[in-house]
Amino acid sequence: MKLRFVLLALLMVSLVTGGLPAVSQPLLPAPPNLEALLKKANGNGKYSMLLMQIADAKAGATVGEFADQGLQSAGIIGKTAVPAGYRVYAAPYWFIWRDQRSEKRRWGPEQLTGEPDTLQAGDFSTAWAAKTRDEQDEWLLLEYDAPVLASGVAIYETYNPGAINKITAFTLDGTEEEIWAGRDNPPLDAIFINQKNFPRPFKTNRLKIYLDSKNVPGWNEIDAVGLTDKTGKLHWASNAECSSTYAQIAMQTMRTGFIPANPDVDILTILGQLRQMQTDINELRQKAGLPPRELPPLPELAPQPEIFLDLKLLDELR
């Protein structure tokens, strides 16, 4: 009896509304932000030249929402043949990229891009160094991904700081404007964060740094250059050019007559060990009734991709 009453009520509603009440449907998931997904998949510029993009929502169950699998050989994804390339999954797509951003050369201008990664003062290949020690003045040209309404600059000088004597920036019409000129006197045993304010804020995506290298002894190494906007946020350079770079020498084959040592060992540590060896040798000579021997002149330190010890120096220590 009750069932008949319910059915009759539904029929009356249907006649009044023109049909049976609509059954609520589950909400469909929001479509992905394709622009943000593409940026995520290329690693914010890590990869380029997209060869193939394949929808594969099921892959998330095995590789997660995001997976950078690096360089992979040609293969099959699902039922689709894919070429060799850098394979990235950003749900719900697989992305196959042809190119990866080039690795930074040791002491090359590429070391000026991105955030600082030289953790202590000294001669480290994670910073830019000129081709020669003190033979000529140098310049650096920094480019940023997008124009910044800049109010200041921060330059991370990591070895023999103080050579910078002028900083300029280019307006968007190509005019080079002087930001600062002068001379700093920073401590030589610490990273010097050289901060200068713009005389007036203006939009720029290029900065140029001039170095009086001939008058500040040693390699004047710089790790990173940031532009400061009005909120205090730092924007890091994305590209860099320079008057010269030690990377040109670092890529060449080193001269014969030298023995390569562990490149991860600090040269100062090795020289300290050599001096200790000399002390030990002199103690043995003293016990044998022989006069002590002086340590021969040590080689001049210079940035190089490997540490090399002269065979003649080793012979003198025997």
Side-chain angles (χ1 to χ4, degrees):
M1 197 62 186
K2 291 181 178 180
L3 179 60
R4 289 180 180 177
F5 178 77
V6 171
L7 291 175
L8 182 61
L10 288 174
L11 180 59
M12 292 177 66
V13 170
S14 175
L15 292 173
V16 173
T17 61
L20 292 175
V23 179
S24 61
Q25 298 292 329
L27 295 176
L28 295 176
N33 183 331
L34 297 180
E35 185 175 346
L37 203 63
L38 182 64
K39 185 176 181 180
K40 182 179 180 180
N42 76 6
N44 292 322
K46 178 180 179 181
Y47 299 122
S48 61
M49 194 60 244
L50 183 60
L51 299 177
M52 187 174 287
Q53 181 177 344
I54 306 168
D56 185 6
K58 295 181 180 179
T62 55
V63 301
E65 291 294 303
F66 178 82
D68 184 344
Q69 298 186 340
L71 184 61
Q72 300 288 325
S73 57
I76 303 291
I77 294 179
K79 296 182 180 180
T80 305
V82 298
Y86 296 91
R87 195 177 298 180
V88 178
Y89 183 74
Y93 296 102
W94 283 103
F95 296 82
I96 314 297
W97 305 93
R98 187 190 68 184
D99 301 326
Q100 183 180 23
R101 185 172 54 205
S102 300
E103 295 296 325
K104 294 181 178 181
R105 294 173 297 166
R106 297 160 67 90
W107 291 288
E110 311 92 89
Q111 299 294 345
L112 293 160
T113 62
E115 297 184 15
D117 58 0
T118 303
L119 303 181
Q120 65 185 74
D123 174 25
F124 294 100
S125 62
T126 50
W128 164 83
K131 184 177 181 179
T132 61
R133 180 183 171 109
D134 299 311
E135 292 183 12
Q136 64 181 23
D137 292 338
E138 306 287 346
W139 55 261
L140 305 173
L141 182 64
L142 294 309
E143 184 181 66
Y144 297 79
D145 278 335
V148 177
L149 182 57
S151 60
V153 60
I155 306 168
Y156 283 68
E157 301 183 54
T158 55
Y159 193 45
N160 297 317
I164 296 174
N165 63 348
K166 187 168 74 168
I167 304 170
T168 65
F170 292 84
T171 60
L172 299 186
D173 64 3
T175 303
E176 184 177 11
E177 290 201 11
E178 184 174 283
I179 301 304
W180 173 85
R183 176 74 70 186
D184 294 306
N185 187 28
L188 299 179
D189 57 352
I191 293 177
F192 176 49
I193 304 178
N194 190 344
Q195 295 180 302
K196 298 291 187 292
N197 293 324
F198 279 33
R200 61 177 180 84
F202 63 86
K203 279 194 174 182
T204 182
N205 69 330
R206 286 191 300 153
L207 194 72
K208 194 166 186 178
I209 299 171
Y210 297 83
L211 295 92
D212 183 19
S213 300
K214 293 186 293 186
N215 292 315
V216 181
W219 269 269
N220 315 118
E221 299 183 11
I222 297 175
D223 179 30
V225 181
L227 277 177
T228 309
D229 64 23
K230 62 180 182 180
T231 68
K233 179 181 177 181
L234 279 169
H235 303 259
W236 303 105
S238 55
N239 289 291
E241 184 57 285
C242 58
S243 50
S244 74
T245 172
Y246 198 84
Q248 297 169 351
I249 298 177
M251 297 296 288
Q252 297 172 2
T253 304
M254 289 297 172
R255 59 192 174 98
T256 58
F258 277 61
I259 298 177
N262 185 347
D264 294 326
V265 177
D266 183 13
I267 184 79
L268 296 178
T269 299
I270 290 181
L271 294 179
Q273 293 171 348
L274 289 177
R275 291 189 182 279
Q276 184 59 51
M277 289 171 57
Q278 180 65 45
T279 300
D280 295 340
I281 291 171
N282 281 335
E283 288 180 358
L284 292 174
R285 292 176 65 86
Q286 185 179 12
K287 291 179 180 179
L290 298 173
R293 300 183 62 182
E294 294 183 1
L295 184 69
L298 295 175
E300 181 182 2
L301 303 184
Q304 46 190 328
E306 309 287 346
I307 295 172
F308 288 81
L309 303 178
D310 197 328
L311 290 174
K312 293 182 180 180
L313 175 59
L314 294 178
D315 288 338
E316 289 291 336
L317 292 172
R318 292 173 184 166

